[in-house]
Amino acid sequence: QLQLVESGGGLVQPGGSLRLSCEASGFTLDNYVIGWFRQAPGKEREFLAAIIRGGGSTRYADSVKGRFTISRDNTRNMGYLQMNNLKPEDTAVYYCAADQSFHNILIINPGSWGQGTQVTVSS
């Protein structure tokens, strides 16, 4: 079965950085668009970033543009989200997702979700 597992979350001070990883199993990730999302308690899930299959094109939400960088390593079947200059309002559970359709990523309806990893930004 298709599975995605996030890792790399944790506690970081404001202004700090974290790199989240997303490892795929059960399918070949290079055939999929990768997306990153987050959800804070009581809030809707929010789109953050997406990267196309070949990695040549990316899209970011305005809230993270210039601070977060999405990337992928198809050889390792991995996706990444580098998060810099983190703010307390970035605190949320972060999810990776994959779908062969970029449209499904954008409408926050990907075929596969990871279980999420907690990111807490606090001093």
Side-chain angles (χ1 to χ4, degrees):
Q1 188 66 26
L2 307 183
Q3 286 189 316
L4 297 168
V5 179
E6 302 94 336
S7 62
L11 176 65
V12 64
Q13 295 186 77
S17 299
L18 286 173
R19 187 184 70 168
L20 305 183
S21 299
C22 176
E23 184 171 12
S25 62
F27 64 103
T28 302
L29 192 58
D30 61 3
N31 293 324
Y32 290 78
V33 179
I34 301 170
W36 283 95
F37 306 81
R38 68 187 179 191
Q39 188 166 23
K43 306 295 184 182
E44 293 187 349
R45 192 162 295 188
E46 176 188 8
F47 168 80
L48 299 175
I51 185 166
I52 64 170
R53 291 185 292 274
S57 182
T58 57
R59 178 178 289 194
Y60 297 93
D62 288 342
S63 60
V64 304
K65 190 176 298 182
R67 297 191 299 124
F68 291 10
T69 302
I70 189 170
S71 62
R72 64 192 301 158
D73 184 344
N74 290 336
T75 300
R76 298 184 64 191
N77 225 31
M78 298 281 289
Y80 303 95
L81 185 69
Q82 178 68 44
M83 306 187 296
N84 298 326
N85 301 123
L86 284 161
K87 305 173 181 179
E89 51 263 44
D90 294 320
T91 296
V93 177
Y94 283 68
Y95 300 87
C96 68
D99 199 285
Q100 291 183 316
S101 168
F102 186 60
H103 174 73
N104 286 342
I105 294 290
L106 291 179
I107 65 172
I108 318 182
N109 189 34
S112 299
W113 288 101
Q115 83 292 337
T117 185
Q118 177 71 45
V119 172
T120 302
V121 184
S122 176
S123 60

